[in-house]
Amino acid sequence: MRSVFRYPSPLAAVAVLPASLLLLGLGGARWGEQGHKMAAQAAVQTLPAEMPGFFRAAGDQLVWLNPDPDRWRGAEESRQDPALNGASAPDHYIDLEWTTPGSLKAPNRVAFLDSLRAAGQKELPGFLPFRIVELTQRLRIQFRQWRQMPEGAERRYLEQRIINDAGILGHYVTDGSNPHHTTIHHNGWVGPNPDGFATDNRMHSRFEGTYVRARITQGDVTPLVPKTPTVHAALRDGVMAYLMRTNAELRTLYTLDKQEPFGEGTAGTAHKEFTATRIAAGAAMLRDLWWTAWITSVPSDTPSRR
C-alpha cells in the first residue's frame, strides 16, 4: 500500500539520521487488505514444488502476514509516540521523480540519503527498493542457515522466522506493483496537468481500496501469474526493473481513471484487466523473490537440503 504520508520539510530531511525521519499525518489509502491478500494467495498458489515443505505448508500464514505493515499504523499509537509511523512510512514507496542520477545504485539506504544530500535534493523519495532488497537478503541468510541446521527445536524456530520475514517482504513487494507507489503523483496528479488527470486526494484509495474490494476476485488474479518462476541472481537489478515496469503504467492508470473514475461502481473491462494485471505482477514478483532467496541460498560447500 502507498500511504499519503509525506516528508514534512524539504531538506533538513536528508541532513539528519534516518531514524529521526518523522512524517506527519496518517493515510488510509492502500491496496487494501483484500488486494494484498489476493497477491499473496496467488504467489503461494504458484510456488514451485521444490520450495521447502514447511514454507509451502505455511501458505495461509504468508497470506495473513502480507497486509501486516499497514496494520502497524494507527492514530492511537501515534498519539502515544510517532516513532514507528514516522520512520516506517517511506519504506512503502519510491518517488522516482525525486531520485537523482546514480542515487539508486547506492549500497544501502544511508548512502542513498548521502547521495541525495550531495546532489542538493530537497525531498525524500522513499526507500521501497531498499526495503525489498533488505528483506530478501534476510530471507536468503535464513534459508542458508536452515540448510545447515540440524533437525530439532531451533530449526523450527528458524522456520517461523523465515515465514514471518517472507510474509512481511510480501507487503512491500506487492506495494510495488501499484504505480502510485513509484511516483509523486501518488494520490492525484500534482503540478502541470495538461491531460486533465484526477487531482482529488482520494484517487489512491478509490483505486486500490474501494475498486479492488468491489470488482476484483482471486480468480481474476491467479491465472495471470506466470507458472515458471524467475531467479533474480542480480537482486537489485531485478527489483529496480520491477519498479520501473510498474512506474511505466502510471499514465495508463490515470487515463483509465479519467475515462471512468475508479470506484465501487466502475464497470470498465479495461479497468478490471489493468488492476488484476497489476496485482498479478506483484504476486509474480513476490513468488520469484521467495524462490530467488531459496535457490541462491545454497552454500558453496554444503549440499542442498529440503
Side-chain angles (χ1 to χ4, degrees):
M1 99 93 194
R2 170 61 191 274
S3 167
V4 190
F5 289 45
R6 304 305 294 169
Y7 192 77
S9 71
L11 210 346
V14 292
V16 294
L17 293 175
S20 68
L21 299 177
L22 298 177
L23 305 189
L24 304 178
L26 293 173
R30 58 188 69 188
W31 257 140
E33 189 147 318
Q34 183 172 338
H36 274 292
K37 284 184 172 180
M38 281 192 286
Q41 185 66 56
V44 165
Q45 289 174 344
T46 57
L47 275 172
E50 294 81 5
M51 283 292 287
F54 80 87
F55 195 92
R56 289 184 284 110
D60 289 346
Q61 189 176 354
L62 289 165
V63 171
W64 183 86
L65 284 166
N66 192 288
D68 226 26
D70 284 341
R71 299 180 186 126
W72 302 339
R73 299 176 173 187
E76 182 176 355
E77 184 62 28
S78 287
R79 282 193 294 270
Q80 296 185 49
D81 194 313
L84 177 61
N85 278 312
S88 65
D91 286 346
H92 295 256
Y93 62 88
I94 181 69
D95 291 335
L96 290 170
E97 298 92 342
W98 284 346
T99 60
T100 57
S103 61
L104 288 169
K105 294 186 180 297
N108 54 56
R109 62 171 70 200
V110 176
F112 175 58
L113 289 178
D114 287 343
S115 68
L116 294 173
R117 180 174 54 198
Q121 174 54 264
K122 303 298 184 182
E123 302 287 351
L124 176 66
F127 296 125
L128 181 58
F130 293 94
R131 183 62 167 159
I132 293 173
V133 170
E134 291 161 0
L135 284 171
T136 305
Q137 286 186 289
R138 282 175 57 166
L139 193 58
R140 176 161 54 200
I141 290 167
Q142 291 158 3
F143 274 138
R144 188 177 299 129
Q145 293 170 341
W146 183 86
R147 289 177 184 273
Q148 301 174 86
M149 187 174 287
E151 289 293 340
E154 291 187 354
R155 204 170 193 233
R156 302 289 83 79
Y157 303 154
L158 179 57
E159 289 172 359
Q160 285 304 304
R161 177 76 270 158
I162 288 170
I163 295 304
N164 186 79
D165 283 350
I168 298 305
L169 167 64
H171 180 87
Y172 299 101
V173 175
T174 51
D175 268 354
S177 67
N178 177 358
H180 281 141
H181 288 257
T182 67
T183 179
I184 60 174
H185 307 291
H186 66 97
N187 200 24
W189 201 265
V190 297
N193 188 12
D195 296 301
F197 291 143
T199 58
D200 64 283
N201 62 4
R202 299 180 304 278
M203 185 191 174
H204 196 118
S205 60
R206 285 193 291 104
F207 169 56
E208 66 169 37
T210 305
Y211 177 74
V212 169
R213 287 192 299 271
R215 295 294 178 174
I216 305 298
T217 69
Q218 193 69 53
D220 298 321
V221 174
T222 304
L224 300 179
V225 178
K227 303 305 180 189
T228 303
T230 296
V231 174
H232 294 284
L235 178 58
R236 286 169 176 266
D237 291 346
V239 169
M240 279 311 306
Y242 164 65
L243 294 174
M244 294 302 290
R245 288 194 298 272
T246 296
N247 182 257
E249 299 294 337
L250 179 65
R251 293 189 66 84
T252 300
L253 170 60
Y254 272 89
T255 298
L256 287 170
D257 187 71
K258 181 178 179 180
Q259 293 169 355
E260 182 184 4
F262 283 98
E264 187 173 2
T266 307
T269 300
H271 292 65
K272 186 167 188 174
E273 291 176 352
F274 175 84
T275 307
T277 298
R278 287 288 84 224
I279 297 174
M285 187 61 174
L286 175 55
R287 184 270 317 274
D288 292 350
L289 289 180
W290 287 341
W291 180 239
T292 294
W294 169 245
I295 289 297
T296 61
S297 69
V298 179
S300 59
D301 59 347
T302 303
S304 174
R305 294 178 59 183
R306 294 179 189 168

